[in-house]
Amino acid sequence: MSAPTVSRVLNGRGDVAPATRERIESLIRAHGYRRRGGRSRERIGLLDLVFNDLDSPWAVEILRGVEDAAHTVGTGIVVSAIHRRAGSTRRWLENVRSRSSDGAILVTTDLDPALKAELRELHVPAVVVDPVGIPDLDTPTIGATNWAGGLSAIGHLTALGHRRIAFVAGRPELWCSRARLDGYRAGLETAGLAVDDDLVVPGEFDYESGFRAGEHLMGLADPPTAVFAASDQMALGVYEALRRGGLRVPADVSVIGFDDLPEAHWASPPLTTVRQPLADMGRLAVRTVHRIVRGEAIESPRVELATELVVRDSTAPPPGEG
Amino acid sequence: MSAPTVSRVLNGRGDVAPATRERIESLIRAHGYRRRGGRSRERIGLLDLVFNDLDSPWAVEILRGVEDAAHTVGTGIVVSAIHRRAGSTRRWLENVRSRSSDGAILVTTDLDPALKAELRELHVPAVVVDPVGIPDLDTPTIGATNWAGGLSAIGHLTALGHRRIAFVAGRPELWCSRARLDGYRAGLETAGLAVDDDLVVPGEFDYESGFRAGEHLMGLADPPTAVFAASDQMALGVYEALRRGGLRVPADVSVIGFDDLPEAHWASPPLTTVRQPLADMGRLAVRTVHRIVRGEAIESPRVELATELVVRDSTAPPPGEG
């Protein structure tokens, strides 16, 4: 077998004995993919970015950060949504296997343990970007400071003079919901206020549950003068409940959200909210995967980036004050 | 050179003469990537999806459709943002070259002609998803019926009894802006109304230009009772201008947008708008690339999917009527 023969096979030409072609092609099939990813441990060709659903409001913010950091070093980002379905996860893993992915960033609220085991078996290092706080330390995880975010929201409202402040909670099974609630309580205690359980209302992070919570709160005998919702989408649902009840934001009721999605800026009035640095979390995830691939140590299995209060036009002193 | 020799080179073992290794490796480097894409004309491993910017409000909607269609057939989607910068485009093309992408879907308002030429040279078939309407027929393009969308918005408002209807236009250099404006004019003429040039205000598709247009319109001696904005983001800017002016939507002024982004549903009040089927446009783009790769004919170089009026709570009869 000569080099020109190999060349003829690779070029797909017909003047090669079938057995020779078969032998060379099976060799290349057996080794070609592995070589691509393994060519150099410094070079990362493709990273996988996996969402449960692309209609998550965070999705595009995290994607922006991941794309930005990957683009700078010439890495391609393969985006998938696995829809919490076993069939979809299976198909994605087959795709990852055939491509020999260099690493995976998982953005997910309910991470399938089997998925992580399979990635380990495929030698694909994984990092979790986690805006909702799953305490799972065997995979490096990047989150945000949920408790401190709750505290800063309540500090802003009590400084404006509010005393009756409601909280619309997130999905109760998620740790971030608990951390934001505890930040709310700590904020009230810091201001010398008691927690009134009537003002803590369940929610599911989505617009509809925020709307229902807003209607419930405004129907109370002693309604709140301010509402802190554990997500921007719920805060927008509260807006709509207030509007239908003939109440104005912030003249009658102040509202604060959590996340700082683009919608917060476009709301009418623009929404005061606690910013999660979602794009920065995506950027850090890329750098963390790169460090693992290069065999470098990472600082901590869980990193939380700081949240930040963004004051816009939905908060003001309570009616009759200010 | 024997098959075991090729095998030893591919396995990266040391017991091969350097000259032989060099010859085989350069052959594989020269041809290996090409073969991956060409292995079978039926199988597509990776498709590129390219945005100008991921902060475009359409981005995630189109991505959802593209991911959905690609996922079903086991194709991975590589997402990039080229930021209208030559350096970024260059880096992306290098990445595409090294991966031998099977096809590209370009979502872009200002498509660089050099980009398409380079893709052609790399034998990467391209399809443009184009929510703004660039009439460029040498690449297959998937858009939406902008003119008919404008017509349906005005038909809805005139049926409610509006006679003074303003239009906030999009970026004037884009064809979709012209088509939506012509749909607005045709809608007025259909209802027997004259076009008042004072009620046609320039915009840039973004929230800020919508806000400025709203302030301008409400300052007119004879202000409109309804505003049709050529994008949802501009409609939300109009909302905020009305709110600051002490006017209510829809009791004082009706507002219609264009796009039906998720924000339209979350606006307060929920926004009546003209829906572009962005996810469907993404799905069709994947199917179109697949057809080109398989050597099948495509129906038309430009396909426009139907827009649809979605009536929510931001439109009502003008004050004093209904």
Side-chain angles (χ1 to χ4, degrees):
Chain A
M1 192 192 309
S2 65
T5 306
V6 175
S7 173
R8 281 199 295 273
V9 170
L10 288 163
N11 277 313
R13 281 168 51 179
D15 51 349
V16 183
T20 309
R21 168 180 300 281
E22 181 54 45
R23 210 162 38 166
I24 294 177
E25 283 188 341
S26 73
L27 274 166
I28 288 166
R29 261 199 307 276
H31 299 286
Y33 295 110
R34 186 59 54 212
R35 286 195 57 75
R36 190 179 60 81
R39 220 169 4 155
S40 153
R41 301 313 296 167
E42 299 299 316
R43 179 86 175 75
I44 300 195
L46 286 176
L47 275 185
D48 271 80
L49 176 62
V50 184
F51 295 94
N52 265 325
D53 286 301
L54 283 167
D55 56 6
S56 146
W58 317 300
V60 75
E61 294 300 301
I62 293 171
L63 172 59
R64 269 179 54 210
V66 167
E67 198 284 333
D68 183 46
H71 186 83
T72 335
V73 292
T75 295
I77 293 296
V78 183
V79 177
S80 307
I82 57 176
H83 310 289
R84 286 189 192 85
R85 286 196 297 263
S88 291
T89 307
R90 177 91 5 236
R91 208 173 296 122
W92 175 70
L93 281 165
E94 276 161 21
N95 193 282
V96 164
R97 187 176 289 115
S98 80
R99 281 189 275 112
S100 70
S101 177
D102 298 302
I105 296 170
L106 311 171
V107 184
T108 172
T109 54
D110 301 294
L111 195 58
D112 183 353
L115 177 64
K116 286 195 291 179
E118 297 229 35
L119 286 174
R120 208 153 26 224
E121 199 184 299
L122 289 170
H123 302 287
V124 174
V127 170
V128 174
V129 175
D130 170 26
V132 294
I134 292 171
D136 175 355
L137 295 183
D138 72 336
T139 304
T141 302
I142 295 159
T145 57
N146 288 298
W147 181 85
L151 188 70
S152 68
I154 302 309
H156 173 63
L157 292 172
T158 55
L160 286 168
H162 291 275
R163 294 293 172 264
R164 290 209 39 89
I165 303 171
F167 179 65
V168 185
R171 288 167 55 197
E173 72 277 20
L174 298 175
W175 283 89
C176 71
S177 305
R178 179 59 192 266
R180 291 173 199 177
L181 172 60
D182 283 351
Y184 159 79
R185 286 181 173 142
L188 291 180
E189 280 161 22
T190 305
L193 298 168
V195 176
D196 179 347
D197 286 336
D198 286 349
L199 295 183
V200 177
V201 185
E204 297 285 323
F205 281 131
D206 62 342
Y207 173 90
E208 283 70 21
S209 64
F211 177 75
R212 287 192 302 270
E215 289 206 313
H216 170 79
L217 286 166
M218 294 310 131
L220 292 177
D222 186 7
T225 61
V227 180
F228 170 38
S231 75
D232 285 350
Q233 287 183 290
M234 291 198 298
L236 296 179
V238 171
Y239 267 43
E240 177 63 2
L242 294 173
R243 189 191 69 84
R244 293 210 201 167
L247 295 166
R248 290 157 303 157
V249 177
D252 299 311
V253 182
S254 288
V255 179
I256 297 193
F258 201 107
D259 284 333
D260 198 22
L261 302 178
E263 291 82 327
H265 172 65
W266 299 330
S268 182
L271 178 69
T272 296
T273 189
V274 178
R275 183 171 185 269
Q276 292 208 68
L278 296 164
D280 288 342
M281 288 155 69
R283 283 187 198 95
L284 181 58
V286 172
R287 288 198 297 273
T288 306
V289 171
H290 276 241
R291 295 185 73 155
I292 299 172
V293 169
R294 287 196 301 255
E296 295 171 17
I298 58 169
E299 287 88 356
S300 160
R302 175 160 185 101
V303 175
E304 294 201 342
L305 299 186
T307 51
E308 182 193 0
L309 182 73
V310 180
V311 177
R312 298 202 179 94
D313 302 337
S314 66
T315 45
E321 295 187 34
Chain B
M1 191 194 309
S2 66
T5 307
V6 175
S7 174
R8 280 199 296 274
V9 170
L10 287 165
N11 277 314
R13 282 167 53 179
D15 52 350
V16 183
T20 308
R21 167 179 301 282
E22 181 54 43
R23 210 160 42 162
I24 294 178
E25 282 187 341
S26 72
L27 275 167
I28 288 167
R29 263 199 307 276
H31 299 286
Y33 296 111
R34 183 63 53 215
R35 285 198 59 75
R36 190 181 60 82
R39 216 173 6 155
S40 154
R41 301 315 295 168
E42 299 299 315
R43 180 86 175 75
I44 300 193
L46 286 175
L47 275 185
D48 272 81
L49 176 62
V50 185
F51 295 94
N52 265 325
D53 286 300
L54 282 167
D55 57 6
S56 146
W58 315 301
V60 74
E61 293 300 301
I62 293 171
L63 171 58
R64 270 179 54 210
V66 167
E67 199 283 333
D68 183 47
H71 187 82
T72 337
V73 292
T75 295
I77 294 296
V78 183
V79 177
S80 309
I82 57 175
H83 310 288
R84 287 192 191 84
R85 288 196 296 264
S88 292
T89 306
R90 175 94 5 240
R91 208 173 297 120
W92 175 71
L93 281 165
E94 276 161 21
N95 193 283
V96 165
R97 186 176 289 114
S98 79
R99 282 187 277 111
S100 70
S101 178
D102 297 303
I105 296 170
L106 311 171
V107 184
T108 170
T109 55
D110 300 294
L111 195 59
D112 184 353
L115 177 64
K116 286 194 292 175
E118 297 229 33
L119 287 173
R120 209 155 22 226
E121 198 184 299
L122 290 168
H123 301 288
V124 175
V127 170
V128 174
V129 175
D130 169 26
V132 294
I134 293 170
D136 175 357
L137 296 182
D138 71 337
T139 305
T141 302
I142 295 160
T145 56
N146 288 298
W147 181 85
L151 188 69
S152 69
I154 301 310
H156 173 62
L157 292 171
T158 55
L160 286 168
H162 290 276
R163 294 290 172 268
R164 286 200 56 77
I165 303 171
F167 179 66
V168 185
R171 288 167 54 198
E173 72 278 20
L174 299 174
W175 283 90
C176 72
S177 306
R178 179 60 192 268
R180 292 173 196 175
L181 173 60
D182 283 351
Y184 160 79
R185 287 182 172 143
L188 291 180
E189 279 161 23
T190 305
L193 298 167
V195 175
D196 179 347
D197 286 337
D198 286 348
L199 296 183
V200 177
V201 184
E204 296 286 322
F205 282 129
D206 62 343
Y207 174 91
E208 282 71 21
S209 64
F211 178 76
R212 287 192 303 270
E215 290 207 313
H216 170 78
L217 286 166
M218 293 311 134
L220 292 178
D222 186 7
T225 61
V227 179
F228 169 38
S231 76
D232 285 351
Q233 287 183 290
M234 291 197 300
L236 296 179
V238 170
Y239 267 42
E240 178 63 2
L242 294 173
R243 189 190 68 85
R244 293 211 199 165
L247 295 166
R248 291 157 303 158
V249 177
D252 299 312
V253 181
S254 288
V255 179
I256 296 193
F258 202 108
D259 284 332
D260 198 23
L261 302 177
E263 292 81 328
H265 173 64
W266 301 331
S268 184
L271 178 69
T272 296
T273 189
V274 179
R275 183 171 184 268
Q276 292 208 67
L278 295 164
D280 288 342
M281 287 154 70
R283 283 187 198 96
L284 182 57
V286 173
R287 288 198 297 273
T288 306
V289 171
H290 275 240
R291 295 187 73 154
I292 299 173
V293 169
R294 287 197 299 256
E296 295 171 16
I298 58 169
E299 286 88 356
S300 161
R302 175 160 185 100
V303 175
E304 296 201 342
L305 299 186
T307 51
E308 182 192 1
L309 182 73
V310 180
V311 177
R312 297 199 180 95
D313 302 337
S314 66
T315 44
E321 297 188 32

